[in-house]
Amino acid sequence: PQSIGQRIAFLRERMDMTQQDFAEMMEISRGKLSQIEIGRNEPNLALLQKIVTKCSTSYEWLIDGKGDL
């Protein structure tokens, strides 16, 4: 996945979660998640930290696609 939004969508799909379920887990609206996934919005630092923690992924992969998932 090329963009941070695409990587978030990839991670969500890999976890077999709907946008609604993932958004609830991250404590954001489904609309906000959708906007992030399509690249219209950028996730804030607090959201990035939640994704790294709750999804057991690396910050480096999430930010720039490098390293291990």
Side-chain angles (χ1 to χ4, degrees):
Q2 300 298 313
S3 72
I4 192 167
Q6 289 172 328
R7 284 188 291 279
I8 291 170
F10 174 82
L11 188 59
R12 175 182 60 76
E13 290 166 1
R14 187 169 176 256
M15 296 172 68
D16 198 30
M17 296 183 81
T18 65
Q19 281 188 336
Q20 185 65 41
D21 291 339
F22 193 82
E24 287 175 8
M25 183 172 80
M26 297 301 153
E27 301 172 346
I28 61 172
S29 70
R30 191 208 57 80
K32 181 170 183 156
L33 176 61
S34 176
Q35 294 295 304
I36 290 169
E37 287 187 356
I38 63 174
R40 289 202 180 139
N41 266 329
E42 292 290 321
N44 63 29
L45 184 57
L47 178 58
L48 293 174
Q49 291 171 332
K50 281 183 188 178
I51 293 171
V52 167
T53 301
K54 293 184 177 189
C55 301
S56 300
T57 192
S58 78
Y59 190 75
E60 182 180 25
W61 179 83
L62 190 57
I63 296 298
D64 62 23
K66 295 180 182 175
D68 294 329
L69 177 70

